[in-house]
Amino acid sequence: MKIKFIFLNSIVSVCLLLTINIYGQDNKAHNPIIFADVPDASMVRVGDTYYMSSTTMHMNPGVPIMTSKDLVNWKLISYAYDTLGNSDELDLKNGKNMYGRGSWASCMRYHNNTFYVSTFSATTGKTYIFSTKNPENEPWQKIEFQPSYHDHSILFDDDGKIYMVWGAGKLNIAELKDDLSGVKEGTERVLIENASAPAGDNIMLGAEGSQLFKIKGKYYLFNITWPRGGMRTVVIHRADNINGPWEGKVGLQDLGVAQGGLIDTPDGRWFSYLFRDNGGVGRIPYIVPVKWENGWPILGEEGKVPWTLDLPANKSLIPGIVNSDDFKRSKKDKDLPLVWQWNHNPDNSLWSVRERKGYLRLKTGRIDSSFVQARNILTQRTIGPESTGSTLLDLSKMKEGDFAGLCLLQKEFGLVGVKLENGTKKIVMVSAPKGQPKEVQSVTINQNKIYFKAECDFRDKTDKAHFFYSLDGKSWIQIGDTINMPYTLPHFMGYRFGLFNYATKNVGGYVDFDYFHISDHISKTNQ
């Protein structure tokens, strides 16, 4: 019996160690630091506080700004802009859209007590620079100019000059005007003819995603490249002078973790922030330790991305990155918390959290024949390794042809909603494999309140989801097919939970959403 007890105790100990290694219960941080779509990060540290910008492309407001005290646990504090402007592409009008475009990789800097975030848009053909003294409590001021400088990075140099680096494969550099209103004429030149060269000759993604730093008098340039048949790779160049000569090397080639830059801690340690393509949940951030050898930053542990980090343990992404919302607002509250973003530009006349206390009202104002062209889809990120989004709708003010419900938004979207057809309400599940929507199942109902939920499984890139409905909020019934959730380049974004309502025949109807609840687990029946 004693031998059996020792044997069982050993098994328990091993299982506990495995649990610690897998789930980070040893009070250390683990990668990914954020299991959600937060790509193209750019970071600065001001005192003991870190700030990060990211990419959300066709979502508005755009360029999310986050803050952290430990490099691991982040919360949203603002956005650089509400909208980039107005056009058919930005407004989802006349069959046009900006899926996968909008604004791309941003650059965050801190200079002379001011925060700067710059980005660019192939949709508008412009470059944007936003600034504020206080990113959490003051608005961002905007400067815009042409052309659109691809994947650029800004550096405020010690001599007062301001440089911008941009491009893919061939990287260019120019000085910016003192007021940041554009590039100084005559300063544009080639910085590095072939920045991908350290990763070999057979390249399918030329070095891009530039992030330029000056550390202890030396210039360091980080880029991402992709050797054909290989994986996304970090390439680093360095120089003693901004004009070169530049020497380059592969900085990291593991798990496809790449694109980012350098950040230091108040106690003098260095890390690199990067991201990894992770299927349907999106591009997720990683942190790797950095050591300095002979003036080079050495990324990872023996060239590998570590699972655990000597940083504080990860907490839940709820409420910092995503959060539930009961739509209850006081007079002092903002209409929408920062976790929410609209798909493309919203029509602000067609939604409200004030007209009916404790509800989000989505009204119809035009006829739409396509779900992905419908305006005012209100979204939040899905999160991994698994997550559930649920909602309750009041359907009593729908009009003939209206369609409202809960979706998982990407090119190959899935949704469950209620259609009002020929005076009859029916629950409909739609799946869109290869972007081609099809009605999979429908159920007639005779009531004006309906509960929906969507469950997402991103464990080990399972990338599958199920939809459910309930007539009473207690008993749930699965509806339709399991949907696959591939990451597609036309949308270039991880799947998002979304609340929607659009008209196909008559305008003027509306639905009221009682709540949206998000959790970081799914029901046992789907595990």
Side-chain angles (χ1 to χ4, degrees):
M1 291 294 293
K2 187 175 182 180
I3 292 174
K4 285 185 178 180
F5 178 80
I6 293 172
F7 178 71
L8 288 172
N9 193 50
S10 298
I11 291 177
V12 171
S13 298
V14 170
C15 289
L16 180 60
L17 286 172
L18 286 173
T19 301
I20 288 172
N21 288 335
I22 293 172
Y23 296 106
Q25 300 299 316
D26 55 354
N27 292 319
K28 286 188 176 182
H30 60 81
N31 275 315
I33 57 165
I34 300 175
F35 208 141
D37 194 48
V38 183
D40 306 334
S42 184
M43 290 187 193
V44 297
R45 178 176 63 82
V46 180
D48 64 352
T49 305
Y50 304 93
Y51 297 86
M52 172 170 67
S53 64
S54 180
T55 298
T56 50
M57 295 174 295
H58 48 277
M59 296 294 168
N60 285 317
V63 185
I65 311 299
M66 289 152 273
T67 188
S68 172
K69 288 290 187 179
D70 57 17
L71 276 178
V72 177
N73 299 288
W74 295 84
K75 68 174 183 177
L76 286 159
I77 58 169
S78 66
Y79 291 91
Y81 64 82
D82 287 329
T83 64
L84 284 172
N86 293 100
S87 67
D88 285 354
E89 291 84 0
L90 300 175
D91 293 338
L92 282 174
K93 289 183 177 179
N94 298 317
K96 296 183 179 181
N97 61 64
M98 60 169 179
Y99 285 112
R101 299 188 301 277
S103 64
W104 281 8
S106 59
C107 172
M108 191 170 204
R109 294 291 179 257
Y110 183 73
H111 178 68
N112 285 347
N113 300 314
T114 301
F115 293 86
Y116 295 91
V117 172
S118 61
T119 187
F120 68 102
S121 175
T123 307
T124 64
K126 294 180 180 180
T127 296
Y128 301 85
I129 300 178
F130 304 90
S131 63
T132 184
K133 296 285 187 181
N134 187 330
E136 190 161 6
N137 297 310
E138 294 181 3
W140 291 82
Q141 305 301 316
K142 179 173 73 172
I143 295 172
E144 59 183 58
F145 55 85
Q146 293 178 317
S148 171
Y149 288 104
H150 177 84
D151 275 16
H152 66 255
S153 179
I154 292 176
L155 175 71
F156 293 90
D157 210 342
D158 303 332
D159 59 3
K161 292 182 178 180
I162 310 167
Y163 295 101
M164 176 181 282
V165 175
W166 73 93
K170 179 191 289 187
L171 302 182
N172 300 296
I173 190 171
E175 290 181 41
L176 292 182
K177 297 176 183 177
D178 293 343
D179 62 0
L180 304 175
S181 61
V183 167
K184 286 184 179 180
E185 292 184 11
T187 63
E188 182 177 335
R189 59 192 184 278
V190 174
L191 183 70
I192 301 174
E193 185 67 38
N194 179 12
S196 308
D201 298 325
N202 194 10
I203 300 295
M204 70 177 192
L205 174 69
E208 59 179 15
S210 291
Q211 294 205 29
L212 180 63
F213 307 90
K214 189 174 187 180
I215 301 169
K216 295 183 178 180
K218 287 184 180 289
Y219 297 89
Y220 295 89
L221 180 61
F222 274 56
N223 290 98
I224 183 175
T225 192
W226 197 341
R228 196 174 303 277
M231 68 182 72
R232 292 184 183 270
T233 300
V234 178
V235 171
I236 305 172
H237 285 82
R238 73 174 185 183
D240 292 325
N241 187 291
I242 193 69
N243 297 310
W246 290 84
E247 53 180 331
K249 62 183 290 187
V250 170
L252 183 69
Q253 199 170 53
D254 184 43
L255 301 177
V257 173
Q259 188 161 336
L262 292 167
I263 194 78
D264 65 341
T265 64
D267 60 4
R269 292 180 295 160
W270 285 86
F271 293 90
S272 181
Y273 52 89
L274 306 160
F275 74 75
R276 181 187 187 188
D277 292 333
N278 210 75
V281 77
R283 296 177 291 168
I284 60 180
Y286 279 65
I287 293 284
V288 300
V290 171
K291 294 181 180 178
W292 291 87
E293 294 182 4
N294 301 318
W296 284 100
I298 307 301
L299 277 58
E301 295 177 354
E302 297 183 355
K304 300 294 181 182
V305 176
W307 174 246
T308 59
L309 300 160
D310 187 19
L311 290 168
N314 308 65
K315 299 176 183 176
S316 174
L317 300 184
I318 306 169
I321 303 298
V322 298
N323 202 15
S324 297
D325 193 343
D326 289 327
F327 301 118
K328 296 176 181 177
R329 304 287 187 265
S330 70
K331 291 183 179 179
K332 295 181 179 180
D333 290 335
K334 293 182 178 179
D335 281 357
L336 289 176
L338 295 170
V339 293
W340 290 111
Q341 286 178 285
W342 296 100
N343 177 30
H344 289 65
N345 288 351
D347 182 337
N348 290 318
S349 69
L350 296 176
W351 69 274
S352 175
V353 289
R354 307 286 179 178
E355 289 185 15
R356 182 181 178 187
K357 188 175 181 180
Y359 288 82
L360 165 70
R361 177 165 293 176
L362 294 183
K363 313 172 195 177
T364 64
R366 70 180 194 185
I367 304 300
D368 286 302
S369 58
S370 165
F371 167 71
V372 293
Q373 288 296 129
R375 290 187 82 173
N376 286 14
I377 300 176
L378 186 60
T379 79
Q380 285 199 41
R381 294 170 177 83
T382 57
I383 60 174
E386 53 190 35
S387 52
T388 297
S390 60
T391 189
L392 167 60
L393 282 76
D394 181 339
L395 314 165
S396 57
K397 298 299 181 180
M398 294 180 79
K399 286 195 172 184
E400 179 71 22
D402 287 359
F403 192 14
L406 173 68
C407 70
L408 287 167
L409 178 62
Q410 232 268 5
K411 177 186 177 182
E412 300 193 22
F413 63 86
L415 60 84
V416 61
V418 171
K419 275 186 179 179
L420 180 56
E421 289 185 333
N422 300 318
T424 299
K425 293 184 178 74
K426 60 179 183 178
I427 301 170
V428 178
M429 187 272 171
V430 175
S431 178
K434 308 300 181 183
Q436 301 300 314
K438 61 177 182 177
E439 187 175 305
V440 179
Q441 184 180 351
S442 65
V443 179
T444 300
I445 58 171
N446 295 302
Q447 60 188 65
N448 282 325
K449 288 190 176 182
I450 189 71
Y451 300 80
F452 291 132
K453 72 175 178 178
E455 296 188 341
C456 306
D457 186 354
F458 299 111
R459 294 170 298 176
D460 300 319
K461 296 187 180 179
T462 298
D463 293 350
K464 294 185 182 299
H466 303 87
F467 288 94
F468 302 81
Y469 72 91
S470 174
L471 302 178
D472 58 9
K474 298 176 182 178
S475 300
W476 291 92
I477 302 168
Q478 187 171 328
I479 185 169
D481 292 341
T482 300
I483 71 162
N484 295 313
M485 296 190 289
Y487 187 91
T488 70
L489 291 182
H491 276 221
F492 213 176
M493 181 175 288
Y495 275 76
R496 290 213 163 205
F497 293 114
L499 307 178
F500 70 91
N501 178 36
Y502 67 96
T504 64
K505 294 183 179 179
N506 303 286
V507 300
Y510 61 85
V511 295
D512 290 334
F513 293 84
D514 192 341
Y515 61 78
F516 173 79
H517 291 166
I518 187 169
S519 66
D520 57 6
H521 61 274
I522 60 179
S523 60
K524 293 181 180 179
T525 56
N526 285 321
Q527 295 186 13

